[in-house]
Amino acid sequence: MSQAQGIQLGQEQGGLVSRIRVTIARRTEGRALALLILVAIATWITEPTAFTAWEVTLGRVALIGLVALGLTAVILMGELDLSVASTLAVCGVVMASIDNLALGVVAALAVGLIIGVVNAFFVVVVGINSFIASLGMLFFLRGAAFVISNEEPVRLASRDAGIAFGKPFLGPLTPRMVIFIVAFIALQVFVTRVRAGREFYAVGGNREAAYDAGIPVRRRIFTGFMISGFVAALAGVINTLERTAADPTAGSTVLLASFAAAIIGGVLLTGGRGSIFGTLLGATSLGILQVALTLTGVQVDVQNIVIGLVLLLAVITDPNSLRTVVGSARSLFQGRSGSHPVG
Amino acid sequence: MTNEAQSVAEAVVGEPAIEKQPFNLLVWMSSRGIFVFTTVLVVVAAIFIDGFASLDNITDVFNRAAPIGIVAVGMTFVVISANYLDLSVVAQVATAAVVLIAVSNESNIPAAMALAFVIALLYGLVNGVAVGVFKANAVIVTLSTTFIGLGILRWFSGGSIYFGPQDGAIRSFGLAKIGPFPLSMIVLILMTLILSFVLTRTNFGFLVRSYGSNRDATRLAGVNTAWVVIGAFTITSIAAMIGGFVLGAFSNTAVSSMSTGFDFRALAAIIVGGTSVFGGRGSVLRTLLGVVFVSVLTNIMVLSGLGFGVQQMAIGALIVAAVSIDSLARKASGT
Amino acid sequence: MSENPTTETTRQDAGGRAIIEARNVVKRFGGATAVDDVSIEVAPGEIYGLVGENGAGKSTLMRVLAGILTPDHGSVVVDGRELEAGSTRAALEAGISLVHQELSLVPELTVAENIVLGTTPVQAGFIKKREMKKIASDALEEIRVQVDLDEPIVRLSVALRQFVEIARAIARKPRVLILDEPTATLTPAETDYLLDMLERLAGQGLAIIYISHRIPEIFRICNRVSVLRDGHLVDTVSISDIKPNEIVDKMVGRELKQELETSRTKVAAGDVVLQARGIKAPGVNGIDLDVRAGEIVGLGGLVGAGRTELVRAIVGADIKSAGTVTINTDGTMRRVNSYRSAISHGFAYVPEERRTDGLALTMTVSDNIALPNRSQLSRYSVLMRGKIGTFAKELADAVGLRPPEIQREAGDFSGGNQQKVVLAKWLGRKPDVIILDEPTRGVDVGAKVEIHRLVRDLAEGGTAVLVVSSDLPELLDLADVIHVVRDGRIAGTLSRDEADEKSVMSLASGESQVRGL
């Protein structure tokens, strides 16, 4: 019949401007970028030292961002790992309790992986919602950190290594920053170029389709939780080295900040949407914000308030939330009187 | 199963169509187990743990159980509405205690209580609107309000400890007893009875259960579901406020860090009591039993010389175990 | 069943060159048999049509062929070799590709990534991007669709997504391509394009199994067609040996008449109670509708025609983009602008998805019935338990709930009895307008008769009834007037006297359009 005449199904390939527009429209990091620009401008005006002392700012970004990067892997699959903060604490304590530094680091990282496996076990095999499974884990590990440490900070045996670790070793970059950058690149490559990482989007975005396409969904979920456990352990190791001691109560604000970074970064809590780069942007805005607040002499408590507010705003201004809010806000106040005679 | 297949399956099942459920241990444990477990735990403790069965110890258990229990019976509403939990009770309890003691030192008790009440309503409204209207995840919402709330509290209090006057009304309330029962225990029981009535007998409680069971069906029955969620969070906040009053009165001191661990102890009590984290199913009375269970367990650990860390580990494991049983029971009973 | 599955004829047609066969496939769900002893054979280069009403077992059979479901009996044979049962991987390796009815793409991944999903080419775990894009562009080339390979699916139109889905199946280099209702979401032009494409692919030797409700499409491209009814294979015929109306006969020709005990006597319809004007919503392209007091208005049409979307927009369960709905019960016209205002003005809505939208399955029947009636069952916001008990019992008896145990959880009951509970809870409000969406889907015959009786009683009591049903005999039996919906518009309106199964089906499937061929 009419093959020749065809039908217009695809889009026209446009010029440079429209290509750029398309590229921008495909990104999910809009909110993070907006916040970053806002924070950057405000900081520029009020406290430009946050930029001149950029090593400090970068250090803070690395502190906030590392755990968030690992967390993003899990959230992309529509799961949640609330146990990251106490994983950080436990792994730090485990590391400090072992006299041999190398052995301690290995043990800490191994514990992180095991925690990831256990979390994934409850989610995948037992079938508990990951919120609750990792919440139970959060409490359990918080206790475990106390038990292992005898409820007090554990001093690192090799203090020299710790002190050396706090010093710049690659130009102005401290090891923490280097590890953060490496972790960012590794995860960015993983979720954009590696098949397993790319399939995280399938697991989170359309799990049924992922099963049907023959993607090993369970294995992917295990991988995701192991990544977040490992990265949290890494953060614990870094903290312990820099402070030359492990605090069993460490990481209480890490949970808030890392969730805030990921959610601001456009990572959808129900999975399937977001990017590691977005999380980096989210962490960067929060880092600049914190440093600027500190420099202007704002107390830690107020900083927590600000970050809490940012997270609250981020989670309620999710595009999906906003779509439903129009309907429910209308019905909230309309009620039964919401109809009126016509004419 | 495809819709088509499911329809066919339903069509042929025919009627009368109620299958007799065979006895299933997991189902039994998740619904009725708490009665037996609590009894066994208490009996075992009384026999094997030195000092458990003493009057002083039991009063102590009651005193410690009361504030957590009051929070737990309130938070049962949030759990039944299928919104997991309210983490911000930690901030709310501490705020109520600090407000009670600090403000009553400055002016008077009614003013303190009124202020605390306004704060509680605010918490309920913020959490409830974020979850009920914006459909945001309750765990993340209440995580952020915890930090906002604790931040504000520490900002105002500067982290300092407030002491009530040694002869004040708050102090005498905190020490008051009726027989072996501290007054706080009476408050817990009253709260349980009132909230149990609200959950099982009032229109609102009915809607909370219905919403937790199936929010779409509830909306399609013409219910304003946003108010149901706001209500559930507000009840939790009011309970947290009363829990904070009781906690502050018992110790006659208040500090922003005094309620650490209330979130998960309350959750543990609720879940062990058999309220499902999947929503819809649950009972305030059974939460009370869960409170007894968790408190006795904690007391046993304390008497056995086990530290705070081990207690936390045990309760974390308890939550995961109870939810696992609930989840496996659901699979077994096919709902 | 008078006709036997004509395996003899099939053999003759396909000869020994069949590439895929289903041999005596039986698939049960619980006690229900969805596919009962069905055998089909498809040859390379053939387009094989599969038709049947909703629930006839077409999708189930195809899922067996694709290895998604394991048959209880029988086997799938490819090139004379039996396929490992219930293995998607084995089916894929044997060259069977299924294009799903519901879209199975990942929204945030790109076109190229979706096309290779599950079979992404990798080297040491890394995606070989160039090879991936090559596979994707080849597949798109094959179906002659142009789309940016780097575009995330979420930014594509529904039609384009459907074509990407087909490209994905093509990319697997299939020898058998199964399409399940691929045109449900396409415009006529897009449908044309798709059908041309399938003919071309068949010309290259691909075996195609094509499932559709739309008779014209079957006639345009298929060589043979099989009709399924209630899980049985009714007949397989060469397309040149049959006329469109005969296919419709075979699809609907069942011995249903005796189950419908009484036909409705025409009630003198009253004033217009429900008036909908210019309703637009996703899938609904401007529909006007009137329902009078005591009248039963039926909405016929195929799945995906926009009927559910229409009634949900009317009642306000989903937001409509345009149009007004007014209700007139006491002489004043009132505009309805939210779901809750509709309910409070005497609407009742029995949704299509009873388990997810209709009932709280973990609550008791009594509680479910009380839910929309709570204001009359409580005083000072306190529920009056005794009153709820008698109220629920009365309604449960009225709808004939079996067993009549109102304190049991709704989830314990059969589909038919669950539906009675949904009806009972709305009956308690004595609605002026009731909207029923597929009221007897998945309901056993006995309960079906009782539900029909209840609907008739409601209409006789003066309620305006709007019913959506894909069950033709039901629609014909209940409705005073039938609007047939196609592509979000009313394709035709049939009065009680004009309507029969064929006239409705013709309008719904566009069969009347083929007659010219």
Side-chain angles (χ1 to χ4, degrees):
Chain A
M1 283 177 79
S2 55
Q3 284 171 23
Q5 96 189 40
I7 165 175
Q8 188 54 45
L9 283 164
Q11 298 100 327
E12 306 271 359
Q13 299 284 344
L16 183 68
V17 178
S18 77
R19 293 225 72 135
I20 292 171
R21 195 181 299 146
V22 165
T23 311
I24 291 172
R26 282 176 192 165
R27 305 307 309 183
T28 53
E29 294 90 355
R31 233 165 11 143
L33 197 64
L35 183 73
L36 183 58
I37 292 168
L38 198 75
V39 168
I41 291 173
T43 308
W44 197 260
I45 294 166
T46 57
E47 198 59 52
T49 26
F51 293 107
T52 45
W54 61 273
E55 297 96 331
V56 179
T57 310
L58 186 59
R60 182 54 62 101
V61 172
L63 183 74
I64 295 173
L66 187 56
V67 176
L69 293 179
L71 198 57
T72 305
V74 176
I75 305 180
L76 280 180
M77 288 187 291
E79 305 290 345
L80 213 52
D81 186 355
L82 292 166
S83 69
V84 283
S86 40
T87 303
L88 183 150
V90 160
C91 292
V93 170
V94 165
M95 176 188 157
S97 319
I98 296 173
D99 286 342
N100 183 319
L101 183 70
L103 205 63
V105 172
V106 171
L109 297 179
V111 168
L113 283 176
I114 292 168
I115 291 169
V117 170
V118 175
N119 274 328
F121 170 82
F122 280 109
V123 173
V124 169
V125 182
V126 183
I128 312 181
N129 184 307
S130 60
F131 296 95
I132 301 292
S134 60
L135 190 72
M137 199 61 160
L138 164 81
F139 301 141
F140 181 85
L141 295 176
R142 206 189 270 170
F146 276 111
V147 171
I148 300 170
S149 66
N150 272 325
E151 306 191 15
E152 55 194 25
V154 186
R155 293 207 160 279
L156 194 62
S158 43
R159 291 197 61 198
D160 297 344
I163 291 164
F165 193 83
K167 297 228 170 83
F169 93 125
L170 200 76
L173 301 178
T174 62
R176 171 192 284 278
M177 298 175 200
V178 175
I179 291 174
F180 174 67
I181 292 166
V182 169
F184 165 70
I185 293 171
L187 280 169
Q188 174 72 17
V189 167
F190 181 69
V191 303
T192 53
R193 313 249 161 199
V194 176
R195 176 174 169 181
R198 210 58 194 145
E199 287 176 353
F200 281 16
Y201 286 89
V203 173
N206 190 342
R207 194 162 290 187
E208 198 69 26
Y211 273 115
D212 284 352
I215 293 172
V217 172
R218 293 169 156 233
R219 206 189 307 158
R220 297 286 174 265
I221 294 176
F222 267 98
T223 312
F225 276 101
M226 283 165 75
I227 289 174
S228 88
F230 181 83
V231 171
L234 197 60
V237 168
I238 296 172
N239 277 357
T240 309
L241 277 168
E242 280 196 347
R243 294 172 190 165
T244 68
D247 181 0
T249 61
S252 60
T253 54
V254 165
L255 187 62
L256 181 78
S258 50
F259 268 102
I263 294 172
I264 296 163
V267 185
L268 191 66
L269 272 180
T270 46
R273 203 190 73 207
S275 70
I276 298 288
F277 181 64
T279 303
L280 176 71
L281 289 182
T284 308
S285 357
L286 287 178
I288 296 175
L289 186 66
Q290 270 196 347
V291 172
L293 290 174
T294 310
L295 288 175
T296 36
V298 174
Q299 313 168 27
V300 180
D301 299 326
V302 182
Q303 292 182 23
N304 276 344
I305 300 172
V306 173
I307 295 178
L309 277 172
V310 170
L311 176 58
L312 186 61
L313 284 177
V315 76
I316 64 175
T317 55
D318 184 278
N320 281 9
S321 307
L322 282 182
R323 210 169 303 139
T324 55
V325 81
V326 179
S328 52
R330 200 167 59 176
S331 67
L332 182 63
F333 297 105
Q334 244 168 19
R336 280 145 190 259
S337 58
S339 62
H340 45 79
V342 185
Chain B
M1 215 190 273
T2 59
N3 272 342
E4 187 181 298
Q6 202 168 20
S7 312
V8 177
E10 283 174 10
V12 176
V13 170
E15 41 188 313
I18 294 190
E19 300 157 43
K20 282 269 179 279
Q21 291 276 355
F23 177 79
N24 182 310
L25 184 66
L26 290 168
V27 175
W28 175 83
M29 276 170 76
S30 72
S31 58
R32 299 270 170 270
I34 185 63
F35 297 101
V36 178
F37 296 147
T38 308
T39 316
V40 168
L41 190 71
V42 170
V43 170
V44 167
I47 297 171
F48 292 103
I49 307 290
D50 281 340
F52 178 79
S54 74
L55 187 63
D56 278 355
N57 185 55
I58 287 173
T59 311
D60 187 53
V61 171
F62 284 156
N63 270 324
R64 286 173 197 282
I68 292 171
I70 293 167
V71 173
V73 291
M75 198 160 92
T76 305
F77 280 74
V78 168
V79 180
I80 291 181
S81 73
N83 280 310
Y84 309 116
L85 82 167
D86 182 354
L87 286 169
S88 67
V89 290
V90 173
Q92 298 179 37
V93 168
T95 305
V98 168
V99 165
L100 177 72
I101 292 185
V103 175
S104 61
N105 281 349
E106 294 289 316
S107 57
N108 56 43
I109 295 174
M113 287 183 148
L115 178 61
F117 185 70
V118 171
I119 293 172
L121 290 185
L122 209 59
Y123 266 108
L125 195 66
V126 171
N127 287 331
V129 167
V131 176
V133 179
F134 288 88
K135 308 282 184 264
N137 180 295
V139 178
I140 305 295
V141 166
T142 58
L143 177 70
S144 57
T145 50
T146 308
F147 275 81
I148 298 169
L150 279 180
I152 293 173
L153 181 61
R154 291 203 189 112
W155 188 24
F156 275 109
S157 70
S160 47
I161 302 178
Y162 295 89
F163 297 94
Q166 279 308 313
D167 50 358
I170 294 171
R171 179 73 176 150
S172 43
F173 173 87
L175 293 177
K177 276 189 203 176
I178 298 176
F181 302 107
L183 203 54
S184 60
M185 198 66 202
I186 310 290
V187 175
L188 170 59
I189 288 166
L190 270 177
M191 282 291 287
T192 306
L193 293 177
I194 292 169
L195 290 183
S196 184
F197 178 82
V198 171
L199 184 67
T200 57
R201 302 298 293 272
T202 67
N203 217 326
F204 167 73
F206 176 53
L207 293 181
V208 170
R209 285 182 284 132
S210 176
Y211 181 83
S213 177
N214 187 339
R215 55 184 65 176
D216 289 324
T218 306
R219 179 179 83 91
L220 290 175
V223 175
N224 194 337
T225 52
W227 285 118
V228 175
V229 177
I230 294 171
F233 275 98
T234 304
I235 286 201
T236 304
S237 295
I238 290 172
M241 173 195 78
I242 296 173
F245 288 166
V246 167
L247 185 67
F250 171 61
S251 50
N252 201 30
T253 54
V255 61
S256 57
S257 62
M258 72 193 304
S259 54
T260 311
F262 266 55
D263 44 0
F264 68 85
R265 273 164 210 271
L267 181 69
I270 293 167
I271 292 176
V272 170
T275 293
S276 170
V277 282
F278 300 100
R281 282 177 178 153
S283 125
V284 172
L285 291 175
R286 286 215 303 254
T287 294
L288 185 63
L289 275 177
V291 171
V292 174
F293 183 87
V294 171
S295 303
V296 170
L297 188 67
T298 310
N299 181 251
I300 292 173
M301 288 190 281
V302 170
L303 291 177
S304 313
L306 297 172
F308 182 64
V310 179
Q311 295 172 33
Q312 282 211 329
M313 287 174 78
I315 288 170
L318 194 64
I319 290 175
V320 175
V323 178
S324 298
I325 290 171
D326 184 24
S327 167
L328 294 171
R330 283 182 155 246
K331 279 188 194 166
S333 67
T335 46
Chain C
M1 198 80 29
S2 53
E3 303 127 307
N4 268 325
T6 52
T7 26
E8 297 303 318
T9 351
T10 313
R11 288 240 171 78
Q12 282 161 14
D13 281 5
R17 57 200 171 81
I19 179 170
I20 185 168
E21 298 171 57
R23 288 190 183 155
N24 306 96
V25 168
V26 177
K27 180 66 198 172
R28 296 189 196 89
F29 294 106
T33 308
V35 174
D36 194 358
D37 196 22
V38 172
S39 303
I40 59 168
E41 297 183 355
V42 186
E46 182 182 31
I47 304 182
Y48 189 97
L50 196 58
V51 296
E53 287 190 303
N54 302 321
K58 305 176 303 258
S59 296
T60 307
L61 179 62
M62 291 307 110
R63 288 166 79 86
V64 170
L65 287 184
I68 296 169
L69 296 173
T70 313
D72 293 305
H73 183 261
S75 56
V76 178
V77 176
V78 178
D79 283 338
R81 265 195 320 217
E82 192 166 314
L83 211 60
E84 187 191 336
S87 158
T88 24
R89 199 150 284 276
L92 273 178
E93 277 163 14
I96 304 171
S97 260
L98 171 64
V99 177
H100 287 268
Q101 194 170 4
E102 61 274 9
L103 291 171
S104 59
L105 301 173
V106 179
E108 292 293 329
L109 293 184
T110 65
V111 169
E113 284 167 336
N114 267 288
I115 288 176
V116 300
L117 190 70
T119 55
T120 316
V122 285
Q123 189 164 35
F126 284 85
I127 297 170
K128 295 201 261 180
K129 277 215 165 164
R130 196 169 300 160
E131 195 177 327
M132 173 177 84
K133 287 194 177 180
K134 176 88 172 66
I135 295 172
S137 64
D138 285 354
L140 287 165
E141 189 116 327
E142 184 96 24
I143 62 170
R144 296 185 192 166
V145 169
Q146 253 201 354
V147 52
D148 187 344
L149 292 175
D150 294 323
E151 193 74 63
I153 293 299
V154 69
R155 290 177 31 89
L156 300 184
S157 69
V158 178
L160 259 181
R161 291 181 199 189
Q162 182 71 62
F163 281 97
V164 171
E165 187 105 14
I166 293 168
R168 181 164 129 193
I170 294 291
R172 289 167 180 172
K173 307 253 175 279
R175 295 186 300 153
V176 180
L177 180 65
I178 304 171
L179 298 108
D180 194 351
E181 302 268 6
T183 56
T185 52
L186 302 185
T187 64
E190 291 158 351
T191 302
D192 257 1
Y193 189 79
L194 176 74
L195 297 180
D196 288 345
M197 182 180 93
L198 294 178
E199 285 181 318
R200 194 173 63 239
L201 290 171
Q204 296 164 10
L206 191 64
I208 297 175
I209 302 178
Y210 188 78
I211 300 179
S212 183
H213 283 301
R214 303 185 178 187
I215 309 294
E217 297 175 5
I218 299 288
F219 272 84
R220 182 161 146 204
I221 62 167
C222 293
N223 307 97
R224 287 187 300 153
V225 59
S226 278
V227 182
L228 283 184
R229 191 168 71 217
D230 302 332
H232 297 275
L233 183 64
V234 177
D235 203 358
T236 301
V237 288
S238 177
I239 206 79
S240 48
D241 299 343
I242 195 165
K243 291 193 174 62
N245 56 347
E246 290 168 356
I247 289 194
V248 174
D249 281 344
K250 287 184 193 293
M251 280 165 67
V252 298
R254 56 183 136 181
E255 57 280 46
L256 265 168
K257 296 292 175 250
Q258 72 270 25
E259 81 187 41
L260 311 163
E261 41 188 25
T262 52
S263 255
R264 210 165 103 75
T265 45
K266 174 86 177 168
V267 187
D271 298 332
V272 172
V273 174
L274 166 65
Q275 191 181 68
R277 287 291 174 269
I279 303 296
K280 283 188 184 172
V284 183
N285 307 315
I287 283 184
D288 295 346
L289 203 67
D290 283 340
V291 187
R292 295 170 180 279
E295 184 185 38
I296 302 180
V297 172
L299 288 175
L302 302 173
V303 169
R307 295 168 302 167
T308 295
E309 292 80 357
L310 171 65
V311 294
R312 284 183 75 90
I314 287 176
V315 77
D318 289 335
I319 295 167
K320 55 181 182 289
S321 52
T324 55
V325 176
T326 49
I327 182 168
N328 172 9
T329 47
D330 48 6
T332 32
M333 298 276 278
R334 287 171 191 282
R335 184 173 290 183
V336 172
N337 49 17
S338 77
Y339 183 77
R340 285 209 317 283
S341 74
I343 297 304
S344 63
H345 281 95
F347 274 67
Y349 171 54
V350 177
E352 182 183 19
E353 299 295 336
R354 151 174 82 234
R355 297 176 73 89
T356 58
D357 292 352
L359 287 175
L361 293 175
T362 60
M363 299 188 84
T364 63
V365 166
S366 168
D367 282 348
N368 270 291
I369 292 178
L371 183 58
N373 300 295
R374 60 196 184 286
S375 52
Q376 54 170 307
L377 296 171
S378 55
R379 188 182 295 149
Y380 311 120
S381 280
V382 176
L383 299 168
M384 295 179 286
R385 283 190 165 178
K387 198 165 169 189
I388 290 177
T390 45
F391 182 84
K393 184 91 187 88
E394 219 166 83
L395 284 162
D397 288 345
V399 298
L401 182 74
R402 264 185 305 277
E405 296 173 25
I406 57 166
Q407 293 309 330
R408 293 197 73 136
E409 287 183 9
D412 290 347
F413 288 81
S414 70
N417 280 295
Q418 286 179 2
Q419 189 70 326
K420 289 182 196 166
V421 176
V422 180
L423 277 171
K425 73 180 197 183
W426 290 116
L427 291 187
R429 290 183 66 93
K430 302 193 172 45
D432 296 311
V433 179
I434 187 163
I435 296 177
L436 305 128
D437 195 351
E438 302 288 0
T440 62
R441 172 183 291 174
V443 163
D444 56 280
V445 176
K448 194 168 178 174
V449 172
E450 289 175 276
I451 290 169
H452 288 174
R453 175 182 58 79
L454 288 166
V455 173
R456 279 192 212 96
D457 288 352
L458 268 170
E460 259 147 48
T463 302
V465 180
L466 182 60
V467 56
V468 174
S469 179
S470 298
D471 180 339
L472 278 177
E474 166 173 288
L475 203 60
L476 294 168
D477 183 55
L478 282 177
D480 299 317
V481 58
I482 297 174
H483 300 296
V484 181
V485 181
R486 190 173 72 226
D487 298 333
R489 291 198 172 80
I490 290 181
T493 297
L494 300 164
S495 72
R496 191 175 182 78
D497 307 326
E498 297 164 324
D500 56 30
E501 299 196 352
K502 276 167 68 182
S503 59
V504 174
M505 208 59 189
S506 297
L507 280 169
S509 63
E511 181 263 329
S512 45
Q513 294 166 359
V514 223
R515 287 190 186 138
L517 279 178

